[in-house]
Amino acid sequence: MSNALRSCLAVLVAAGGLVGASSALAQGSASGSLVCDGVQQNKQACLRERGAAQDAARRGGLSSPDAATLQANALARCNRQPPEDRPACEARVLGTGQTNVTGSVLGGGVIRTTVVPVPAR
């Protein structure tokens, strides 16, 4: 796997984690169900983030982007890849071709794998 491909994959996984974390904080802060047990992350950091999410929710500043915005952001990240890697990046983001999605945000990240035949040289 090329370095550019790994970079694109890492960026997509990280972005997915951030989106999942922000929606989990929003849901947890509203219901008080966000568990800060020190297992998934440092307890003090979790409590600080939960408090910040509660404050933001009270001010109406906590929102989740729609699917079109998330897809546009992901495709914009593909534009930063070398030209030869862009089609594979876009296929992973759009889920076209033979794309397989595994993992979870809670488990550490969502991995998108796309099989792309490479012609013999």
Side-chain angles (χ1 to χ4, degrees):
M1 191 181 300
S2 73
N3 285 338
L5 187 59
R6 282 190 198 116
S7 296
C8 182
L9 186 58
V11 167
L12 291 174
V13 168
L18 290 173
V19 169
S22 67
S23 66
L25 284 170
Q27 293 168 357
S29 65
S31 65
S33 65
L34 183 61
V35 178
C36 293
D37 59 5
V39 175
Q40 292 293 325
Q41 75 179 77
N42 177 282
K43 187 171 184 174
Q44 286 76 26
C46 179
L47 292 170
R48 188 172 48 248
E49 289 295 321
R50 182 169 63 185
Q54 288 171 337
D55 289 344
R58 276 192 287 271
R59 289 189 313 268
L62 196 60
S63 63
S64 295
D66 61 13
T69 301
L70 293 174
Q71 186 177 56
N73 289 342
L75 288 171
R77 288 189 299 276
C78 288
N79 289 333
R80 308 259 319 167
Q81 300 301 314
E84 63 274 8
D85 292 336
R86 283 185 200 142
C89 180
E90 291 171 358
R92 279 190 302 281
V93 169
L94 298 173
T96 58
Q98 298 176 340
T99 299
N100 185 25
V101 180
T102 59
S104 68
V105 173
L106 184 61
V110 176
I111 308 297
R112 298 176 193 274
T113 308
T114 301
V115 176
V116 179
V118 177
R121 293 181 186 193

